[in-house]
Amino acid sequence: MKIDNLPFGTTDWSKIEPTEHPGVTGKAFWRTCKFGDVRVRMVEYTPGYLADHWCVKGHFLLCLEGELHTELEDGRTFVLKPGMSYQVADNAEPHRSSTEVGARLFIVD
């Protein structure tokens, strides 16, 4: 990722309208900002959320609240708690998210 031609700015996430994205179960609510080619999101998963797809997009993801379970297509699983993050490249390792208790995330991709 290269960040070019971006002046200093602030974001009040509470003023960005969320969009709803249903999973197999539960829902995700995204508050999204685009800065050139960089997408930045504040994402909230409801309790019981399970993603409806295997994602191949690269991300930097920070867990702010709750607990996030990330499953890789090869069967490995990881649990993120507040203050933990993961990073993965585009098209590197398909992954999907779930949570029993809900989670709030900050994601850059």
Side-chain angles (χ1 to χ4, degrees), residues 73-95:
E73 196 172 43
D74 67 11
R76 290 179 289 157
T77 59
F78 302 88
V79 177
L80 271 63
K81 296 183 179 195
M84 296 176 69
S85 64
Y86 78 66
Q87 53 285 328
V88 64
D90 287 332
N91 302 307
E93 297 176 278
H95 50 282

